[in-house]
Amino acid sequence: MSLQPVKFYQTGTFTVGNRLLDESLRTVQANMQRTNSLNSGHRACQGCGEALGARYAIDAAMRATKNRVIATNATGCLEVFSTPYPETSWQIPWMHSVFGNAASVATGIAAALKVKKKSDVRVIAQGGDGGTTDIGFACLSGMFERNDDVLYLCYDNEAYMNTGVQRSSATPPGARTATTPAVGIHPGNAFGTGKNLPLIAMAHQIPYVATASVANLHDLEAKVEKAMGICGARYIHIYVPCPLGWGSSPSDTIKVARLAVETGLFPLFEAEHGEIVSRIPIRNKVPVEEYLKLQKRFAHLFGEDRSAIAMIQEIADRNIRKFGLEEA
Amino acid sequence: MKKPFAITLDPGSSLANHTGSWRTERPVYVDRLPPCNHACPAGEDIQGWLYHAEGGEYRKAWESLMKNNPFPAIMGRVCYHPCEGACNRGKLDESVGIHAVERFLGDEAIRRRWLPEVTAEPSGRHVLVVGSGPSGLSCAYHLRLMGHQVVIMEAESRAGGMMRYGIPQYRLPRDVLDAEISRIASMGVEIRLNAKVADIMDVIEGYDAAFLAVGAHIAKRAYIPAGDASRIIDAVSLLHGMEENSATLLGKRVVVYGGGNTAIDAARTAKRLGAEEPLIVYRRTRERMPAHESELQEAIEEGIRFKWLSTVKRMEEGSITVEKMILDDAGFPQPTGEFETIGADSLVLALGQESELDLLKSVPDIETANGSVKVDSSMMTNHPGIFAGGDMVPSEKTVTAGIGHGKKAARNIDAWLRNEKFSPPEKHEIASFDMLNTWYYSDAPKIRQKALDLARRQSTFEEVIHGLSEENALFEARRCLSCGNCFECDNCYGVCPDNAVIKLGPGSRFRFNYDFCKGCGLCAAECPCGAIQMVPESI
């Protein structure tokens, strides 16, 4: 019996799978044969968004390349919790670089593959926001500028979590970290600091830049798959909540990520050669309080003076305007 | 193996590291009770049959439905669907049109001549059912499925009870009624028509048990002084007469006295017989009217008028006199002494019904009160082996409740015949709205069933509400949130950061791998339908 005329599938494509949908429209993660590139037994905290984001992205890349992937990994949580010598959770060829040079090591691997004429093997570099936006930035910018054939995946949990939650240049304004304590007249991370790496990557005019979130698996997988079909330098910035560093409940990891998108604080978009080509519209717009109140790193904003919340709301509103997140 | 410089250990897998030991809470898969199922007086597993309908497996859906209710085509039309009032989707946009899907399945079964199978071994036991209304037929159906021989004795010339003699054709077409009754007969249930039971003791010999379901066919009367030429009839006779092709002459100006569904049925029938704007007089307010809102709405659409807070004092030729009432603090209507005269050619009384209990005259141990029979929690009267249900026992007096009584009685009779006691399985916790993660459901407004053209609703007895097309029924079924019951969306399997959910394949759901589950609770939080519960580990 053909089910296609009815274009309504109970949960549509919001869930990971959907028994009513054609197999090809379900996610890689719904598949019983997914590669589980990052296997069980890793030492990430309960409800780790980065472990989830890494498996989502690498499994999708594995399917897109028929399992022909080599990955490098900057120092950081992902490297530490996945591979304490001599054990590893990775089920792919994987190489730990140092903190700052994951992009350069990946460039080297890509060059070696070219020499060996193995064009079917693709290279991925991955790192956290610290290893990407701060320590590894020079190497990354060089990789972009040379248009090396590497996909760089940044798992953004908005601080140095592995070393004890210190501020990075991806830490959002107002957030409490070990180095931006919630004291003084302007508690938490200062407003007006930090950098937006997806926009910087776009400024390099590389073939493909995208943002993705663990709260939108279909979108994340589609972006990784698209990136694996492109040659040259590519960059995907994946939003991965950190229950430990953010002071959120481990069971709220996806909820927090979803609210970051639905408030407008983390816009989901794609850019090709420096130009934005698509964005995911907000489904149910919510005020930033809903997002902030789930995280202890923002608890100090909920005192008598709520001006910081208003400023964060302004950031969200500006994103919504700038990226056109309310247009269908 | 020669190791590289400075390497002393073989590479190992993290699978050696059983992170399950970190856990303080463990997720477990549960099946919670969907509110629709909880609200159904017939005890249907609504979420269960919708699950099959969602996949387009209508035959399976129908078979699942038929486990609890032999009349989907009838119920899809006449049930007041308390399920939809309880539906969690109502808090999201609008409740699922359960009755419309049920009707679609019922009509599909009639069209395709699907038949239920009796697979039970013949028990050799005989049960007598008195009355072929919804309750009696339902009881007979379930007893037959359990392998018993059943004979139904029916006083009227046709089977169906109040479904035929109380519910007008524009709500329940008779071909639908006949089809679903004949399906029960085809299973081997013998229905003896024109077989009024005057005394149960005269006929019970040869039967191992009996189920009484004679309904409530006697109209309650109120004393209303009336002149010789005035026309007062009761609604039960009016509706009954419609089936005997002897429509009562009512005249142009018809007043119906009462506020229940029967009053509405009588007024809408009067309209179709040619009355101009029938008037319903009710002693309380619209809010306190026992009639169902949907019926009230349809009646208003058809031009039925209402006079609230009024009682009929007397009738003269061509008019009635009503007294205005006010509600006291307790909500009871109190007379005001203000009177009004209203033109009326006839007055139809719809003031409730009682059962005719003459058949119990030789069984004095059966307790009766207020025109109904007392039964215990197993539907058995004080007389061992004689059970009763439907409108003749205290209940809400709907078709659905009657069908539920029949099923419950059948299960208890079956147990009683084996000298056992039927104990219903323990009910699961209700899947309330706050247990759902509704983010995941697609937005979808309810599909409205089309209604018959208003002009034809006022002059013919054609069915008013139309059925859904297959496409619409499928859409409506898919609006189900599957509250409390896994529908294999793969969310738990996908969102586990530790790959600790094992997917067992289509239809087999999932299993947790507690060796690696750290107990973060993401699976439970992201389960759309609330089918995962976190329970504390014993440490």
Side-chain angles (χ1 to χ4, degrees), chain B residues 136-212:
Chain B
L137 285 168
S138 159
C139 185
Y141 165 81
H142 286 287
L143 286 168
R144 188 71 202 107
L145 283 183
M146 294 165 186
H148 306 299
Q149 283 298 327
V150 188
V151 170
I152 302 179
M153 294 196 182
E154 168 57 51
E156 297 284 350
S157 60
R158 275 173 296 168
M162 273 298 176
M163 296 191 288
R164 186 182 301 279
Y165 294 103
I167 298 177
Q169 296 190 15
Y170 59 85
R171 280 175 57 203
L172 177 57
R174 296 310 185 237
D175 55 338
V176 173
L177 178 64
D178 292 340
E180 294 211 315
I181 293 176
S182 69
R183 197 161 57 206
I184 292 178
S186 74
M187 292 165 64
V189 171
E190 189 191 336
I191 305 175
R192 292 185 194 155
L193 301 172
N194 300 309
K196 186 174 166 83
V197 174
D199 185 337
I200 181 68
M201 283 326 200
D202 290 348
V203 291
I204 203 166
E205 197 164 331
Y207 295 103
D208 300 297
F211 178 63
L212 311 181

Side-chain angles (χ1 to χ4, degrees), chain A residues 10 17 30 40 44 46 55 283, chain B residues 14 439 480 489 494 496 499 518:
Chain A
Q10 193 165 28
S40 308
Q46 289 179 322
R55 192 188 77 222
R283 195 169 156 218
Chain B
S14 63
W439 163 264
C480 173
C489 72
C496 177
N499 311 339
K518 293 171 185 162

Side-chain angles (χ1 to χ4, degrees), chain A residues 72-115:
Chain A
T72 67
N73 208 139
T75 302
C77 270
L78 181 61
E79 170 264 317
V80 168
F81 75 62
S82 68
T83 315
Y85 174 77
E87 283 173 15
T88 186
S89 306
W90 289 104
Q91 311 208 69
I92 55 166
W94 177 90
M95 187 173 177
H96 173 208
S97 63
V98 292
F99 215 148
N101 69 351
S104 301
V105 174
T107 296
I109 294 172
L113 289 169
K114 195 174 170 191
V115 170

Side-chain angles (χ1 to χ4, degrees), chain A residues 8-10 12 16-17 19 29-31 34 38 40-44 46-47 55-56 85-86 88-89 258 283, chain B residues 8-9 12 14 17 22 51 54 439-442 478 480 489 491 493-494 496-499 503 518 520 525-526:
Chain A
F8 174 71
Y9 295 99
Q10 193 165 28
V16 170
R19 68 187 177 99
Q29 290 300 314
N31 197 303
R34 72 183 190 206
L38 183 68
S40 308
H42 61 68
R43 279 129 164 112
Q46 289 179 322
R55 192 188 77 222
Y56 284 176
Y85 174 77
T88 186
S89 306
R258 184 157 57 230
R283 195 169 156 218
Chain B
T8 54
L9 296 170
S14 63
N17 184 25
W22 303 10
Y51 178 86
E54 284 152 25
W439 163 264
Y440 289 102
Y441 297 100
S442 305
R478 287 178 173 185
C480 173
C489 72
N491 258 15
Y493 178 60
C496 177
D498 297 289
N499 311 339
K503 181 169 173 172
K518 293 171 185 162
C520 67
E526 298 305 316

Side-chain angles (χ1 to χ4, degrees), chain A residues 256-274:
Chain A
V256 168
R258 184 157 57 230
L259 288 169
V261 174
E262 294 302 287
T263 50
L265 286 172
F266 190 81
L268 295 177
F269 63 90
E270 281 181 302
E272 291 173 11
H273 302 287

